[in-house]
Amino acid sequence: MTYYSPVNIVNNLRHDWSVEEVLALFSLPFIELIYQAQAIHRQHFNSNQVQASTLLSIKTGGCPEDCSYCPQSVRYSTSVNSEPLLPLTEVIAAAQKAKARGASRFCMGAAWRGLKDRDLEKIAEMISEVKALGLETCVTLGMLAPGQAIRLKAAGLDYYNHNLDTSPEFYSEIITTRTYQDRLDTLAQVREAGIHVCCGGIVGMGEDQLHRAGLLATLANLPSHPESVPINRLVKVEGTPLSQVPDLDPFEFVRTIACARIIMPRSFVRLSAGREAMSDELQALCFLAGANSIFYGDKLLTTSNPTIDRDQQLFARLGLDLLPVEDRIQNTMASVDDRHSISS
Ligand code: SAM
Ligand code: DTB
Ligand code: SF4
C-alpha cells in the first residue's frame, strides 16, 4: 500500500496547501510575487528555455458534454461541425510537420466524453506512430475506463491531458454532465498506469480569485504534482454560454501563473489557450512569472494560436529557446523519480 506524505521529504514539494495560503500569495504586491516566482523558477529550470507542444484535433466537434466554454459541445450553436476521427496518415503528417518546426511533444485531442473501447486500438496506433518519430506523445480523450490507460501506456503514451478546469466550488457553474470526482478518478488511472499527468484549468470564466486559488491548491494537493500544468485563459467563442463573460485583468492572469509556479515548483507551467489575444509584453510577463511551456503552432484544437512566425520573433526578441526533446525527457524523469511516496 502506498501512503502519501503532505510534504515531499526528498525535494520539499508540498501537497498540503490551503486555499487561504494560496490566496495570500495572490495578494502579495505584484513585484514581490513575480520576484518570488522567478526565484523559485530558476532553482529548478533554465529560465530561458520553453517547452513546446503542438496540438492536433483528431476528432472534432459533436461532443455530448455541456462544458460551457467549449465550442465543440453539440449543445451550443457554434461554427464547429462534427467530424469523424482523422485517418492515421493525416495524424502522422501533422506530427512530422510539428517536429520539423521544433515542437518536442505532439498532443492529440478528441471531443469525446470518454474513450470508447472501439476506438482504443486506433488511438494506440496513432500514439505508436507519433512516438516512432521521436516526439513525446500526449492525448486528451476525456474520461478513461479501467484498463484503458495501461493500453495507452503500452502504445508509447508519455502524457495524458485531463484538466480540472476550475475549483471544486465553481465547477458546477461550468459543467453539469460529469463530476469533479470523475475527473479525479481519470487522473488516478493515468498515474497508476505510469503516464505523466498534464492537468490544469481555465481562468477568465467569471470565477473569482478564491476559485483560481482553489483550482491551484487542488492541483498542488494531488498525490503528485502534475508534470505539466496548462493554464488556459478562456477563448471566448461565439455561441458558447461564456462568450460574453467580462475579460480577466491581465495582471491577475500573470498572478495565476506565478502562484502555480510557486506552489508546483518542478512542474512545467504552460501558458496555454488565449495567447493569440495577448500582447508580446503580457506573454513576456508570464514567462517572467515562471511559465515555461506553450502550445506551438497556428491552431489549438478549433481556435487559432499565434503563428509560428510570431512566436519565433517573440522568442528571438526575448532570447528564449525551445527546449529540445532529449532534455525534456530527462527533466521529466527527474521529477517523476522524486515523487514523494512512502511505501509500506
Ligand atoms: N474532450 C476532452 C476533455 O474535455 O477532457 C478533451 C478535449 S478538451 C477540448 C481539453 C481542454 O481544453 C478542456 O478541458 C479545457 O480546459 C480546454 N478548453 C476547451 N475549450 C476552451 C476554451 N474556449 N478556452 C480555453 N480552454 C478551453
Ligand atoms: C489544454 O489545457 N488546452 C488545450 C489542450 N489542453 C487540449 C486545448 C485548448 C482549446 C482551446 C479551444 C479550441 O481551440 O477549441
Ligand atoms: Fe466535450 Fe471536452 Fe469540449 Fe467538454 S471540453 S464539451 S468534454 S470536447
Side-chain angles (χ1 to χ4, degrees):
M1 193 166 171
T2 301
Y3 296 97
Y4 294 102
S5 68
V7 176
N8 182 333
I9 46 175
V10 179
N11 57 18
N12 236 12
L13 294 183
R14 281 186 54 192
H15 298 264
D16 62 348
W17 287 93
S18 68
V19 175
E20 291 69 31
E21 280 178 295
V22 182
L23 272 177
L25 289 174
F26 267 97
S27 302
L28 285 171
F30 186 77
I31 304 298
E32 177 63 26
L33 176 62
I34 304 305
Y35 174 76
Q36 285 193 22
Q38 177 61 208
I40 287 176
H41 188 46
R42 298 170 81 88
Q43 285 171 21
H44 300 283
F45 293 98
N46 173 342
S47 53
N48 302 307
Q49 265 188 339
V50 174
Q51 183 272 330
S53 293
T54 295
L55 278 167
L56 176 69
S57 179
I58 57 169
K59 161 61 191 98
T60 302
C63 183
E65 299 292 275
D66 70 352
C67 313
S68 41
Y69 48 77
C70 186
Q72 303 201 69
S73 167
V74 79
R75 296 164 192 250
Y76 314 130
S77 177
T78 69
S79 59
V80 176
N81 297 316
S82 182
E83 291 166 27
L85 188 64
L86 285 186
L88 179 63
T89 47
E90 272 187 48
V91 175
I92 295 173
Q96 282 168 331
K97 193 167 151 191
K99 189 176 184 207
R101 289 170 156 191
S104 62
R105 191 180 311 157
F106 192 67
C107 180
M108 297 165 270
W112 287 330
R113 170 174 164 80
L115 173 60
K116 295 202 168 70
D117 279 336
R118 64 162 190 245
D119 295 311
L120 184 55
E121 286 313 308
K122 283 183 231 159
I123 298 293
E125 204 179 358
M126 289 176 184
I127 292 168
S128 300
E129 293 287 339
V130 172
K131 182 85 176 162
L133 297 174
L135 283 160
E136 288 185 316
T137 55
C138 175
V139 291
T140 179
L141 313 168
M143 291 187 279
L144 292 180
Q148 291 180 331
I150 292 165
R151 176 69 191 99
L152 298 177
K153 168 77 179 170
L157 187 64
D158 296 307
Y159 288 82
Y160 196 88
N161 167 242
H162 198 62
N163 291 336
L164 290 176
D165 280 349
T166 188
S167 69
E169 294 75 19
F170 193 66
Y171 184 83
S172 61
E173 304 280 318
I174 303 297
I175 300 144
T176 69
T177 48
R178 78 173 71 156
T179 65
Y180 213 73
Q181 189 59 47
D182 287 334
R183 291 179 187 259
L184 294 169
D185 290 347
T186 289
L187 292 171
Q189 305 255 11
V190 171
R191 264 288 172 237
E192 191 67 21
I195 299 167
H196 300 323
V197 170
C198 172
C199 182
I202 311 176
V203 296
M205 297 195 292
E207 79 286 340
D208 56 32
Q209 198 176 63
L210 180 71
H211 300 123
R212 290 185 282 280
L215 165 67
L216 295 185
T218 308
L219 290 168
N221 294 343
L222 288 171
S224 299
H225 293 174
E227 281 78 13
S228 194
V229 180
I231 305 293
N232 296 278
R233 188 171 81 166
L234 176 70
V235 179
K236 296 181 209 172
V237 181
E238 211 183 309
T240 61
L242 295 184
S243 64
Q244 303 297 326
V245 81
D247 277 343
L248 182 70
D249 174 2
F251 294 126
E252 181 67 13
F253 183 79
V254 179
R255 283 180 186 274
T256 309
I257 298 268
C259 291
R261 167 52 62 224
I262 291 169
I263 72 172
M264 291 172 279
R266 300 201 58 171
S267 302
F268 278 77
V269 174
R270 182 172 308 121
L271 172 54
S272 302
R275 273 199 314 120
E276 199 194 25
M278 292 179 198
S279 67
D280 288 353
E281 294 83 351
L282 176 56
Q283 291 186 62
L285 269 181
C286 292
F287 294 129
L288 190 62
N292 62 343
S293 172
I294 55 165
F295 285 124
Y296 186 58
D298 304 356
K299 209 169 170 196
L300 292 164
L301 291 173
T302 66
T303 64
S304 51
N305 198 37
T307 61
I308 296 269
D309 277 356
R310 180 178 163 197
D311 277 344
Q312 285 178 347
Q313 281 172 31
L314 176 63
F315 274 45
R317 286 167 73 204
L318 299 177
L320 292 174
D321 290 321
L322 291 184
L323 184 63
V325 68
E326 314 79 54
D327 295 9
R328 179 67 193 90
I329 286 168
Q330 245 177 17
N331 225 328
T332 303
M333 294 329 289
S335 80
V336 169
D337 287 344
D338 285 352
R339 215 176 294 148
H340 67 292
S341 58
I342 304 167
S343 297
S344 69

